[in-house]
Coordinates of all heavy atoms in Angstrom, one line a residue:
M278 N 1.7 -20.4 -19.0 CA 1.3 -20.2 -17.6 C 1.8 -18.8 -17.0 O 2.8 -18.4 -17.3 CB 1.9 -21.3 -16.8 CG 1.3 -21.4 -15.3 SD 1.8 -23.0 -14.5 CE 1.9 -22.4 -12.8
S279 N 0.8 -18.2 -16.4 CA 1.2 -16.9 -15.8 C 1.9 -17.0 -14.5 O 1.9 -18.0 -13.8 CB -0.1 -16.0 -15.5 OG -0.9 -16.7 -14.6
E280 N 2.6 -15.9 -14.3 CA 3.5 -15.8 -13.1 C 2.7 -15.8 -11.7 O 1.7 -15.1 -11.8 CB 4.4 -14.7 -13.1 CG 5.4 -14.5 -12.0 CD 6.4 -13.5 -12.2 OE1 6.8 -13.0 -13.4 OE2 6.8 -12.8 -11.2
V281 N 3.1 -16.5 -10.9 CA 2.3 -16.6 -9.5 C 2.6 -15.2 -8.8 O 3.8 -15.0 -8.5 CB 2.6 -17.7 -8.8 CG1 1.8 -17.7 -7.3 CG2 2.2 -19.0 -9.6
K282 N 1.6 -14.5 -8.2 CA 1.8 -13.4 -7.5 C 2.1 -13.7 -6.1 O 1.9 -14.8 -5.6 CB 0.4 -12.6 -7.5 CG -0.1 -12.0 -8.8 CD -1.2 -11.2 -8.5 CE -1.6 -10.5 -9.9 NZ -2.9 -9.7 -9.7
T283 N 2.8 -12.7 -5.5 CA 3.1 -13.0 -4.0 C 2.5 -11.8 -3.3 O 2.4 -10.6 -3.8 CB 4.7 -12.9 -3.8 OG1 5.2 -11.8 -4.3 CG2 5.3 -14.2 -4.5
F284 N 2.1 -12.1 -2.0 CA 1.5 -11.1 -1.1 C 2.2 -11.1 0.2 O 2.6 -12.1 0.7 CB 0.0 -11.4 -1.0 CG -0.8 -11.4 -2.2 CD1 -1.0 -12.6 -2.9 CD2 -1.2 -10.3 -2.9 CE1 -1.7 -12.8 -4.0 CE2 -1.9 -10.3 -4.0 CZ -2.1 -11.5 -4.7
T285 N 2.4 -9.8 0.7 CA 3.0 -9.6 2.1 C 1.8 -9.8 3.1 O 0.7 -9.6 2.9 CB 3.6 -8.3 2.2 OG1 2.7 -7.3 2.2 CG2 4.8 -8.1 1.1
A286 N 2.3 -10.0 4.4 CA 1.4 -10.0 5.5 C 0.5 -8.6 5.7 O -0.6 -8.8 5.8 CB 2.2 -10.2 6.9
D287 N 1.1 -7.5 5.3 CA 0.4 -6.3 5.4 C -0.7 -6.2 4.4 O -1.8 -5.7 4.6 CB 1.4 -5.0 5.1 CG 2.2 -4.8 6.5 OD1 2.0 -5.3 7.5 OD2 3.2 -4.1 6.2
E288 N -0.4 -6.8 3.1 CA -1.4 -6.7 2.1 C -2.5 -7.7 2.4 O -3.6 -7.3 2.3 CB -0.8 -7.3 0.7 CG 0.2 -6.2 0.0 CD 0.9 -6.9 -1.1 OE1 1.6 -7.9 -0.9 OE2 0.8 -6.3 -2.2
I289 N -2.2 -8.9 2.9 CA -3.2 -9.8 3.3 C -4.1 -9.3 4.5 O -5.3 -9.4 4.5 CB -2.6 -11.2 3.7 CG1 -1.8 -11.7 2.5 CG2 -3.5 -12.1 4.3 CD1 -0.8 -12.8 2.8
R290 N -3.6 -8.8 5.5 CA -4.3 -8.2 6.6 C -5.4 -7.2 6.1 O -6.4 -7.0 6.9 CB -3.4 -7.5 7.6 CG -2.6 -8.3 8.5 CD -2.0 -7.5 9.6 NE -0.9 -8.1 10.1 CZ 0.3 -7.9 9.8 NH1 0.9 -7.1 8.9 NH2 1.5 -8.7 10.3
K291 N -5.2 -6.6 5.1 CA -6.2 -5.6 4.5 C -7.5 -6.3 4.0 O -8.5 -5.6 3.9 CB -5.6 -4.7 3.4 CG -4.5 -3.8 3.9 CD -3.8 -3.2 2.7 CE -2.7 -2.3 3.1 NZ -2.0 -1.8 1.9
H292 N -7.4 -7.6 3.9 CA -8.4 -8.4 3.4 C -9.3 -9.1 4.4 O -9.2 -10.4 4.5 CB -8.2 -9.1 2.2 CG -7.5 -8.5 1.1 ND1 -8.4 -7.9 0.1 CD2 -6.3 -8.0 0.8 CE1 -7.7 -7.2 -0.7 NE2 -6.4 -7.2 -0.4
A293 N -9.7 -8.4 5.5 CA -10.2 -9.0 6.6 C -11.6 -8.5 6.9 O -12.1 -8.3 8.0 CB -9.4 -8.9 7.8
T294 N -12.4 -8.2 5.8 CA -13.9 -7.8 6.0 C -14.7 -8.8 5.1 O -14.2 -9.6 4.2 CB -13.9 -6.4 5.4 OG1 -13.9 -6.4 3.9 CG2 -13.1 -5.4 6.1
R295 N -15.9 -8.7 5.5 CA -17.0 -9.6 4.7 C -16.8 -9.3 3.2 O -17.1 -10.3 2.4 CB -18.4 -9.3 5.2 CG -19.5 -9.9 4.5 CD -20.8 -9.7 5.3 NE -20.9 -10.2 6.5 CZ -21.3 -11.4 6.7 NH1 -21.4 -12.2 5.6 NH2 -21.4 -11.9 8.0
D296 N -16.5 -8.1 2.7 CA -16.4 -7.8 1.3 C -15.2 -8.4 0.6 O -15.2 -8.4 -0.6 CB -16.4 -6.4 1.1 CG -17.7 -5.7 1.6 OD1 -18.8 -6.4 1.5 OD2 -17.8 -4.6 2.1
S297 N -14.1 -8.6 1.4 CA -12.9 -9.2 0.9 C -12.1 -10.0 2.1 O -11.6 -9.5 2.8 CB -12.0 -8.1 0.4 OG -10.7 -8.6 -0.2
I298 N -12.1 -11.3 1.7 CA -11.6 -12.2 2.8 C -10.5 -13.0 2.1 O -10.7 -13.9 1.2 CB -12.6 -13.2 3.4 CG1 -13.8 -12.4 3.9 CG2 -12.1 -14.1 4.3 CD1 -15.1 -13.2 4.3
W299 N -9.3 -12.8 2.5 CA -8.1 -13.6 2.2 C -7.7 -14.2 3.4 O -7.8 -13.8 4.6 CB -7.1 -12.6 1.7 CG -7.3 -12.0 0.4 CD1 -8.4 -11.9 -0.3 CD2 -6.3 -11.2 -0.3 NE1 -8.1 -11.2 -1.5 CE2 -7.0 -10.8 -1.5 CE3 -4.9 -11.0 -0.1 CZ2 -6.2 -10.1 -2.4 CZ3 -4.4 -10.2 -1.0 CH2 -4.8 -9.7 -2.2
I300 N -7.3 -15.7 3.3 CA -6.6 -16.4 4.3 C -5.3 -17.0 3.7 O -5.2 -17.0 2.6 CB -7.6 -17.4 4.8 CG1 -7.9 -18.4 3.6 CG2 -8.8 -16.8 5.5 CD1 -8.6 -19.7 4.1
V301 N -4.5 -17.4 4.7 CA -3.2 -18.0 4.3 C -3.3 -19.4 4.8 O -3.6 -19.6 6.0 CB -1.9 -17.3 4.8 CG1 -0.6 -18.1 4.6 CG2 -1.8 -15.9 4.4
V302 N -3.1 -20.4 3.9 CA -3.0 -21.9 4.5 C -1.7 -22.4 3.9 O -1.5 -22.4 2.7 CB -4.2 -22.6 4.1 CG1 -4.0 -24.0 4.5 CG2 -5.5 -22.1 4.7
H303 N -0.7 -22.8 4.7 CA 0.5 -23.4 4.2 C 1.3 -22.4 3.3 O 1.7 -22.9 2.2 CB 0.3 -24.8 3.6 CG -0.1 -25.7 4.6 ND1 0.6 -26.3 5.7 CD2 -1.4 -26.5 4.7 CE1 0.0 -27.0 6.4 NE2 -1.3 -27.2 5.8
D304 N 1.3 -21.1 3.6 CA 2.0 -20.1 2.9 C 1.4 -19.9 1.5 O 2.1 -19.3 0.7 CB 3.5 -20.5 2.6 CG 4.3 -20.6 4.1 OD1 3.8 -19.8 4.9 OD2 5.2 -21.2 4.2
K305 N 0.3 -20.2 1.3 CA -0.6 -19.9 0.0 C -1.6 -19.0 0.3 O -2.3 -19.2 1.5 CB -0.9 -21.2 -0.7 CG 0.2 -22.2 -1.2 CD -0.3 -23.1 -2.1 CE 0.8 -24.1 -2.4 NZ 1.8 -23.5 -3.1
V306 N -1.9 -18.1 -0.4 CA -2.9 -17.1 -0.2 C -4.2 -17.4 -1.0 O -4.2 -17.7 -2.3 CB -2.5 -15.6 -0.5 CG1 -3.5 -14.6 -0.2 CG2 -1.1 -15.4 0.1
Y307 N -5.4 -17.4 -0.3 CA -6.6 -17.7 -0.9 C -7.7 -16.5 -0.7 O -7.8 -16.1 0.5 CB -7.2 -19.0 -0.3 CG -6.3 -20.1 -0.5 CD1 -5.4 -20.5 0.5 CD2 -6.3 -20.9 -1.6 CE1 -4.5 -21.6 0.3 CE2 -5.5 -22.0 -1.8 CZ -4.6 -22.3 -0.8 OH -3.8 -23.3 -0.9
D308 N -8.5 -16.2 -1.7 CA -9.5 -15.2 -1.6 C -10.8 -16.0 -1.5 O -11.2 -16.6 -2.5 CB -9.5 -14.4 -2.8 CG -10.7 -13.4 -2.8 OD1 -11.6 -13.5 -1.9 OD2 -10.7 -12.4 -3.6
V309 N -11.3 -16.2 -0.3 CA -12.4 -17.1 0.0 C -13.7 -16.3 0.1 O -14.6 -16.8 0.7 CB -12.1 -17.9 1.3 CG1 -11.1 -19.0 0.9 CG2 -11.9 -17.2 2.4
T310 N -13.7 -15.1 -0.3 CA -15.0 -14.1 -0.2 C -16.2 -14.8 -0.7 O -17.1 -14.8 0.1 CB -14.5 -12.8 -0.9 OG1 -13.4 -12.3 -0.6 CG2 -15.7 -11.8 -0.7
K311 N -16.0 -15.3 -1.9 CA -17.2 -15.9 -2.5 C -17.6 -17.3 -1.9 O -18.7 -17.7 -2.1 CB -16.9 -16.1 -4.0 CG -16.9 -14.9 -4.7 CD -16.7 -15.0 -6.1 CE -16.5 -13.6 -6.9 NZ -16.2 -13.8 -8.4
F312 N -16.7 -17.9 -1.0 CA -17.2 -19.1 -0.4 C -17.8 -18.9 0.9 O -18.3 -19.9 1.6 CB -15.7 -20.0 -0.3 CG -16.0 -21.3 0.3 CD1 -16.7 -22.3 -0.4 CD2 -15.6 -21.6 1.6 CE1 -16.8 -23.7 -0.1 CE2 -15.6 -22.9 2.1 CZ -16.4 -23.8 1.2
L313 N -17.8 -17.7 1.4 CA -18.4 -17.5 2.8 C -19.7 -18.1 3.1 O -19.9 -18.7 4.1 CB -18.4 -15.9 2.9 CG -18.8 -15.5 4.4 CD1 -17.6 -15.9 5.4 CD2 -18.8 -14.0 4.4
D314 N -20.6 -17.8 2.2 CA -22.0 -18.4 2.4 C -22.1 -19.9 2.1 O -23.0 -20.6 2.6 CB -23.0 -17.7 1.4 CG -23.1 -16.2 1.8 OD1 -22.9 -15.8 2.9 OD2 -23.4 -15.4 0.9
E315 N -21.0 -20.5 1.5 CA -21.2 -21.8 1.1 C -20.4 -22.8 2.2 O -20.6 -23.9 2.1 CB -20.6 -22.1 -0.3 CG -21.3 -21.4 -1.3 CD -20.6 -21.6 -2.7 OE1 -19.8 -22.6 -2.9 OE2 -20.6 -20.6 -3.4
H316 N -19.6 -22.3 2.9 CA -18.8 -22.9 3.9 C -19.6 -23.8 4.9 O -20.6 -23.2 5.6 CB -17.9 -21.9 4.7 CG -17.0 -22.7 5.7 ND1 -17.0 -22.7 7.0 CD2 -15.9 -23.6 5.3 CE1 -15.9 -23.4 7.5 NE2 -15.3 -23.9 6.5
P317 N -19.5 -25.2 4.8 CA -20.3 -26.0 5.6 C -20.2 -25.8 7.1 O -21.1 -26.0 7.9 CB -19.7 -27.4 5.3 CG -19.0 -27.3 4.1 CD -18.5 -25.8 4.1
G318 N -19.0 -25.3 7.6 CA -18.8 -25.0 9.0 C -19.4 -23.7 9.4 O -19.2 -23.2 10.6
G319 N -20.0 -22.9 8.6 CA -20.5 -21.6 8.9 C -19.5 -20.5 8.6 O -18.3 -20.7 8.3
E320 N -20.1 -19.2 8.4 CA -19.2 -18.2 7.9 C -18.4 -17.6 9.2 O -17.2 -17.1 9.0 CB -20.1 -17.0 7.5 CG -21.0 -16.4 8.5 CD -21.9 -15.2 8.0 OE1 -22.2 -15.4 6.8 OE2 -22.3 -14.4 8.7
E321 N -18.8 -17.9 10.4 CA -18.1 -17.3 11.6 C -16.6 -17.7 11.5 O -15.7 -16.9 11.9 CB -18.8 -17.8 12.9 CG -18.2 -17.1 14.0 CD -18.4 -15.6 14.1 OE1 -19.5 -15.2 13.5 OE2 -17.8 -14.7 14.9
V322 N -16.3 -19.0 11.4 CA -14.8 -19.5 11.4 C -14.0 -18.8 10.3 O -12.9 -18.4 10.5 CB -14.8 -21.0 11.3 CG1 -15.2 -21.5 10.0 CG2 -13.4 -21.4 11.7
I323 N -14.5 -18.6 9.2 CA -13.8 -17.9 8.2 C -13.6 -16.4 8.5 O -12.5 -15.9 8.4 CB -14.6 -18.0 6.8 CG1 -14.5 -19.5 6.3 CG2 -13.9 -17.1 5.7 CD1 -15.2 -19.6 5.0
L324 N -14.7 -15.7 9.0 CA -14.5 -14.5 9.5 C -13.5 -14.2 10.7 O -12.8 -13.2 10.6 CB -15.9 -13.7 9.9 CG -16.9 -13.6 8.8 CD1 -18.2 -13.2 9.3 CD2 -16.4 -12.5 7.9
E325 N -13.5 -15.2 11.4 CA -12.4 -15.1 12.6 C -11.0 -15.2 12.0 O -10.0 -14.7 12.6 CB -12.7 -16.2 13.5 CG -13.9 -16.1 14.4 CD -14.3 -17.2 15.3 OE1 -13.4 -18.3 15.2 OE2 -15.2 -17.3 16.0
N326 N -10.9 -15.8 10.9 CA -9.4 -16.0 10.3 C -9.2 -15.1 9.1 O -8.1 -15.3 8.6 CB -9.4 -17.5 9.9 CG -9.1 -18.4 11.1 OD1 -8.1 -18.5 11.7 ND2 -10.3 -19.1 11.5
A327 N -10.1 -14.2 8.8 CA -9.9 -13.4 7.8 C -8.6 -12.6 7.8 O -8.4 -11.9 8.9 CB -11.1 -12.4 7.5
G328 N -7.8 -12.4 6.8 CA -6.7 -11.7 6.8 C -5.6 -12.3 7.6 O -4.6 -11.6 8.0
L329 N -5.6 -13.5 8.0 CA -4.7 -14.2 8.9 C -4.1 -15.5 8.3 O -4.6 -16.0 7.3 CB -5.3 -14.5 10.2 CG -5.8 -13.3 11.1 CD1 -6.6 -13.8 12.3 CD2 -4.7 -12.4 11.5
D330 N -3.0 -16.0 8.9 CA -2.5 -17.3 8.7 C -3.5 -18.3 9.4 O -3.6 -18.3 10.5 CB -1.1 -17.5 9.2 CG -0.5 -18.9 8.8 OD1 -1.3 -19.8 8.5 OD2 0.6 -19.0 9.1
S331 N -4.2 -19.1 8.5 CA -5.3 -19.9 9.0 C -4.9 -21.4 8.9 O -5.8 -22.2 9.1 CB -6.6 -19.7 8.1 OG -6.9 -18.4 8.1
T332 N -3.6 -21.7 8.7 CA -3.0 -23.0 8.7 C -3.5 -23.9 9.8 O -4.0 -25.0 9.6 CB -1.7 -23.0 8.4 OG1 -1.2 -22.3 7.2 CG2 -1.0 -24.4 8.3
E333 N -3.3 -23.4 11.0 CA -3.6 -24.3 12.1 C -5.1 -24.5 12.3 O -5.6 -25.7 12.5 CB -3.1 -23.6 13.5 CG -3.3 -24.4 14.6 CD -2.6 -23.8 15.9 OE1 -1.9 -22.7 15.8 OE2 -2.9 -24.2 16.9
A334 N -5.9 -23.6 12.1 CA -7.3 -23.7 12.2 C -7.9 -24.6 11.1 O -8.7 -25.5 11.4 CB -8.1 -22.2 12.0
F335 N -7.3 -24.5 9.9 CA -7.7 -25.5 8.7 C -7.3 -26.9 9.0 O -8.1 -27.8 8.8 CB -6.9 -24.9 7.4 CG -7.4 -25.7 6.2 CD1 -8.5 -25.3 5.6 CD2 -6.6 -26.8 5.7 CE1 -8.8 -26.1 4.4 CE2 -6.9 -27.4 4.6 CZ -8.2 -27.1 3.9
E336 N -6.1 -27.1 9.6 CA -5.6 -28.5 9.9 C -6.3 -29.0 11.1 O -6.6 -30.3 11.2 CB -4.1 -28.4 10.2 CG -3.4 -28.3 8.8 CD -3.6 -29.1 7.7 OE1 -4.1 -30.2 7.8 OE2 -3.3 -28.8 6.4
D337 N -6.5 -28.3 12.0 CA -7.1 -28.7 13.4 C -8.6 -29.2 13.0 O -9.0 -30.3 13.8 CB -7.3 -27.6 14.5 CG -6.0 -27.4 15.1 OD1 -5.0 -28.1 14.8 OD2 -5.8 -26.4 15.8
I338 N -9.3 -28.7 12.2 CA -10.6 -29.2 11.9 C -10.7 -30.5 11.1 O -11.9 -31.1 11.2 CB -11.6 -28.0 11.2 CG1 -13.0 -28.3 11.5 CG2 -11.3 -28.1 9.8 CD1 -13.4 -28.0 12.8
G339 N -9.6 -30.8 10.5 CA -9.5 -32.0 9.8 C -10.3 -32.1 8.4 O -11.2 -32.9 8.2
H340 N -10.0 -31.0 7.7 CA -10.7 -31.0 6.3 C -10.5 -32.1 5.5 O -9.5 -32.8 5.4 CB -10.3 -29.6 5.6 CG -11.0 -28.4 6.1 ND1 -10.3 -27.7 7.1 CD2 -12.0 -27.8 5.8 CE1 -11.1 -26.7 7.4 NE2 -12.2 -26.7 6.6
S341 N -11.6 -32.6 4.7 CA -11.5 -33.7 3.8 C -10.5 -33.4 2.6 O -10.2 -32.2 2.3 CB -12.9 -34.1 3.4 OG -13.3 -33.0 2.4
E342 N -10.2 -34.5 1.8 CA -9.4 -34.3 0.5 C -10.3 -33.4 -0.5 O -9.7 -32.5 -1.2 CB -9.1 -35.6 -0.2 CG -7.8 -36.2 0.5 CD -6.7 -35.3 0.6 OE1 -6.4 -34.6 -0.6 OE2 -6.0 -35.2 1.6
D343 N -11.6 -33.5 -0.5 CA -12.6 -32.7 -1.3 C -12.4 -31.2 -1.0 O -12.4 -30.4 -1.8 CB -13.9 -33.1 -1.2 CG -14.2 -34.5 -1.8 OD1 -13.4 -34.9 -2.6 OD2 -15.2 -35.1 -1.7
A344 N -12.3 -31.0 0.4 CA -12.2 -29.6 0.9 C -10.8 -28.9 0.4 O -10.8 -27.8 0.0 CB -12.3 -29.5 2.4
R345 N -9.8 -29.8 0.5 CA -8.4 -29.3 0.2 C -8.5 -29.1 -1.4 O -7.7 -28.1 -1.9 CB -7.4 -30.4 0.5 CG -7.3 -30.6 1.9 CD -6.4 -31.6 2.4 NE -6.3 -31.9 3.7 CZ -5.7 -31.2 4.6 NH1 -4.9 -30.3 4.2 NH2 -5.8 -31.4 5.9
E346 N -9.1 -29.8 -2.2 CA -9.2 -29.7 -3.6 C -9.9 -28.4 -3.9 O -9.6 -27.6 -4.9 CB -9.8 -30.9 -4.3 CG -8.9 -32.1 -4.6 CD -7.6 -31.7 -5.4 OE1 -7.8 -31.2 -6.4 OE2 -6.6 -32.1 -5.0
M347 N -11.0 -28.1 -3.2 CA -11.9 -27.0 -3.4 C -11.1 -25.7 -3.2 O -11.2 -24.7 -3.8 CB -13.1 -27.2 -2.4 CG -14.4 -27.1 -2.9 SD -15.4 -27.1 -1.5 CE -16.9 -26.8 -2.3
L348 N -10.2 -25.8 -2.1 CA -9.5 -24.7 -1.8 C -8.5 -24.1 -2.9 O -8.4 -22.9 -3.1 CB -8.4 -25.0 -0.6 CG -7.7 -23.9 0.2 CD1 -8.8 -22.8 0.7 CD2 -6.9 -24.5 1.3
K349 N -8.2 -25.0 -3.6 CA -7.3 -24.6 -4.9 C -8.0 -23.7 -6.0 O -7.5 -22.7 -6.5 CB -6.8 -26.0 -5.7 CG -5.9 -26.8 -4.9 CD -5.6 -28.1 -5.7 CE -4.7 -29.0 -4.9 NZ -4.4 -30.1 -5.7
D350 N -9.4 -23.7 -5.9 CA -10.1 -22.8 -6.7 C -10.0 -21.4 -6.2 O -10.3 -20.5 -7.0 CB -11.5 -23.2 -6.8 CG -11.8 -24.6 -7.4 OD1 -11.0 -25.0 -8.3 OD2 -12.8 -25.2 -7.0
Y351 N -9.6 -21.2 -5.0 CA -9.6 -19.8 -4.5 C -8.2 -19.3 -4.4 O -7.9 -18.1 -3.8 CB -10.3 -19.7 -3.1 CG -11.6 -20.3 -3.2 CD1 -12.0 -21.5 -3.0 CD2 -12.8 -19.4 -3.6 CE1 -13.4 -22.0 -3.2 CE2 -14.0 -19.8 -3.7 CZ -14.4 -21.1 -3.5 OH -15.6 -21.4 -3.6
F352 N -7.2 -20.1 -4.8 CA -5.6 -19.8 -4.8 C -5.5 -18.5 -5.6 O -5.9 -18.3 -6.7 CB -4.9 -20.8 -5.3 CG -3.4 -20.4 -5.4 CD1 -2.6 -20.5 -4.3 CD2 -2.8 -20.2 -6.6 CE1 -1.2 -20.1 -4.3 CE2 -1.5 -19.9 -6.7 CZ -0.8 -19.9 -5.6
I353 N -4.8 -17.4 -5.0 CA -4.5 -16.2 -5.7 C -3.0 -15.8 -5.7 O -2.5 -15.0 -6.4 CB -5.3 -14.9 -5.1 CG1 -5.0 -14.6 -3.8 CG2 -6.7 -15.1 -5.5 CD1 -5.6 -13.5 -3.2
G354 N -2.3 -16.6 -4.8 CA -0.8 -16.4 -4.9 C -0.1 -16.9 -3.6 O -0.8 -17.7 -2.8
N355 N 1.1 -16.6 -3.4 CA 2.0 -17.1 -2.4 C 2.2 -16.1 -1.4 O 2.3 -14.9 -1.6 CB 3.2 -17.7 -2.9 CG 3.1 -19.0 -3.7 OD1 2.2 -19.9 -3.3 ND2 3.8 -19.0 -4.8
L356 N 2.4 -16.5 -0.1 CA 2.9 -15.6 0.9 C 4.3 -15.2 0.7 O 5.2 -16.0 0.4 CB 2.8 -16.3 2.3 CG 3.3 -15.5 3.5 CD1 2.4 -14.2 3.7 CD2 3.2 -16.5 4.7
E357 N 4.6 -13.9 0.9 CA 6.0 -13.4 0.8 C 6.4 -13.0 2.2 O 5.7 -12.1 2.8 CB 6.1 -12.2 -0.1 CG 7.5 -11.6 -0.3 CD 7.5 -10.5 -1.1 OE1 7.1 -10.5 -2.3 OE2 8.0 -9.3 -0.8
G358 N 7.4 -13.6 2.8 CA 7.8 -13.2 4.2 C 7.1 -13.9 5.1 O 6.5 -15.0 5.0
K359 N 7.0 -13.2 6.3 CA 6.3 -13.8 7.5 C 4.9 -13.9 7.3 O 4.2 -12.8 6.9 CB 6.8 -13.0 8.8 CG 6.4 -13.6 10.0 CD 7.1 -12.9 11.2 CE 6.6 -13.6 12.4 NZ 7.1 -12.8 13.7
A360 N 4.1 -14.8 7.9 CA 2.7 -14.9 7.7 C 2.0 -13.8 8.7 O 2.5 -13.6 9.8 CB 2.2 -16.3 8.2
P361 N 0.8 -13.3 8.4 CA 0.1 -12.4 9.2 C -0.6 -13.1 10.3 O -1.1 -14.2 10.2 CB -1.0 -11.9 8.2 CG -1.3 -12.9 7.2 CD 0.1 -13.6 7.2
T362 N -0.3 -12.5 11.6 CA -0.9 -13.0 12.8 C -1.9 -12.2 13.3 O -2.7 -12.7 14.3 CB 0.3 -13.2 13.8 OG1 0.9 -12.1 14.1 CG2 1.3 -14.4 13.3
T363 N -2.1 -11.0 13.0 CA -3.2 -10.1 13.4 C -3.8 -9.5 12.3 O -3.0 -9.0 11.3 CB -2.7 -9.1 14.5 OG1 -1.7 -8.2 13.9 CG2 -2.4 -9.8 15.8
A364 N -5.1 -9.3 12.3 CA -5.8 -8.6 11.1 C -5.9 -7.1 11.4 O -5.5 -6.6 12.4 CB -7.2 -9.2 11.1
S365 N -6.3 -6.4 10.3 CA -6.5 -5.0 10.5 C -7.7 -4.8 11.5 O -8.3 -5.6 11.9 CB -6.8 -4.4 9.0 OG -8.1 -4.9 8.6
Q366 N -8.2 -3.5 11.4 CA -9.3 -3.1 12.4 C -10.6 -3.5 11.8 O -11.6 -3.0 12.4 CB -9.1 -1.8 12.8 CG -7.8 -1.4 13.7 CD -7.8 -2.4 14.9 OE1 -8.6 -2.5 15.8 NE2 -6.6 -3.1 14.9
G367 N -10.7 -4.1 10.7 CA -12.1 -4.5 10.1 C -12.6 -5.7 10.8 O -12.2 -6.1 11.8
E368 N -13.6 -6.3 10.0 CA -14.2 -7.5 10.5 C -13.1 -8.6 10.5 O -12.2 -8.5 9.8 CB -15.2 -8.1 9.6 CG -16.5 -7.3 9.7 CD -17.7 -7.9 8.8 OE1 -17.7 -9.0 8.6 OE2 -18.2 -7.0 8.1
G369 N -13.1 -9.4 11.5 CA -12.1 -10.5 11.7 C -10.9 -10.0 12.6 O -10.1 -10.9 13.0
A370 N -10.9 -8.8 12.8 CA -9.8 -8.3 13.7 C -10.2 -8.4 15.2 O -11.5 -8.2 15.5 CB -9.4 -6.8 13.4
E371 N -9.3 -8.4 16.0 CA -9.7 -8.5 17.5 C -9.8 -7.1 18.0 O -9.0 -6.2 17.7 CB -8.6 -9.2 18.3 CG -8.6 -10.7 18.0 CD -7.6 -11.4 18.9 OE1 -7.1 -10.8 19.9 OE2 -7.5 -12.7 18.7
D372 N -10.8 -6.9 19.0 CA -10.8 -5.5 19.5 C -10.1 -5.5 20.8 O -9.4 -6.4 21.0 CB -12.5 -5.2 19.8 CG -13.0 -6.1 20.8 OD1 -12.2 -6.8 21.5 OD2 -14.3 -6.1 20.9
E373 N -10.2 -4.4 21.5 CA -9.3 -4.3 22.8 C -9.6 -5.3 23.8 O -8.7 -5.5 24.7 CB -9.5 -2.9 23.3 CG -10.9 -2.6 23.9 CD -11.8 -2.1 22.8 OE1 -11.5 -2.3 21.6 OE2 -12.9 -1.6 23.1
H374 N -10.7 -6.1 23.7 CA -11.0 -7.1 24.6 C -10.7 -8.6 24.2 O -11.1 -9.6 24.9 CB -12.5 -7.1 25.0 CG -12.9 -5.7 25.6 ND1 -12.5 -5.2 26.8 CD2 -13.5 -4.8 25.0 CE1 -12.9 -3.9 26.9 NE2 -13.7 -3.6 25.8
G375 N -10.1 -8.6 22.9 CA -9.8 -10.0 22.4 C -10.9 -10.6 21.7 O -10.8 -11.8 21.3
H376 N -12.0 -9.9 21.4 CA -13.1 -10.4 20.7 C -13.0 -10.1 19.2 O -12.7 -9.0 18.9 CB -14.3 -9.8 21.3 CG -14.7 -10.0 22.7 ND1 -14.6 -9.0 23.7 CD2 -15.0 -11.1 23.4 CE1 -14.8 -9.5 24.8 NE2 -15.1 -10.8 24.6
V377 N -13.3 -11.1 18.5 CA -13.3 -11.0 16.9 C -14.3 -10.1 16.5 O -15.5 -10.5 16.8 CB -13.1 -12.3 16.4 CG1 -13.1 -12.2 14.9 CG2 -11.9 -13.1 16.8
R378 N -14.0 -9.2 15.7 CA -15.0 -8.4 15.1 C -15.8 -9.2 14.0 O -15.2 -9.6 13.1 CB -14.5 -7.0 14.6 CG -14.1 -6.2 15.7 CD -13.7 -4.8 15.2 NE -13.2 -4.0 16.3 CZ -12.1 -3.4 16.3 NH1 -11.3 -3.5 15.3 NH2 -11.8 -2.6 17.3
T379 N -17.1 -9.1 14.0 CA -18.0 -9.6 12.9 C -19.0 -8.6 12.7 O -19.1 -7.7 13.5 CB -18.5 -10.9 13.2 OG1 -19.4 -10.9 14.3 CG2 -17.4 -12.0 13.5
K380 N -19.9 -8.8 11.8 CA -21.0 -8.0 11.6 C -21.9 -7.9 12.8 O -22.5 -6.9 13.2 CB -21.8 -8.3 10.4 CG -21.3 -7.9 9.0 CD -22.3 -7.3 8.2 CE -22.1 -6.9 6.9 NZ -21.5 -5.7 6.8
Q381 N -21.9 -9.1 13.5 CA -22.9 -9.2 14.6 C -22.3 -8.4 16.0 O -23.1 -7.8 16.7 CB -23.1 -10.6 15.0 CG -23.9 -11.3 14.0 CD -22.9 -11.9 12.8 OE1 -21.9 -12.0 13.0 NE2 -23.6 -12.0 11.6
N382 N -21.0 -8.3 16.1 CA -20.5 -7.8 17.4 C -19.6 -6.6 17.2 O -18.8 -6.2 17.9 CB -19.9 -8.8 18.3 CG -18.6 -9.3 17.5 OD1 -18.1 -8.8 16.6 ND2 -18.0 -10.4 18.1
K383 N -19.8 -5.9 16.1 CA -19.1 -4.5 15.8 C -19.4 -3.6 16.8 O -20.4 -3.3 17.3 CB -19.3 -4.0 14.4 CG -18.3 -4.6 13.5 CD -18.4 -3.8 12.2 CE -17.4 -4.2 11.2 NZ -17.5 -3.6 10.0

């Protein structure tokens, strides 16, 4: 078995664009880029949480056991240190008015 990678909040924040979407759920890092178009709840919620700790959003929605199992397919490593709470200035980041940037409202 290969060694599990670890990622810092700064590294995770860099993956907050449509081209590269990483999220953190329960201190585990997931690359959900390829899941964006398949997400039953729509892409917007994933884009809003791109590059961030998404644990609360993930739990609040009440994901099924199937969804939790699916998430494992996107696991890329563990969080090292404190979780990212703000994204970079790409998609998924908040602008100066607190609006989340997406392709539609850049």
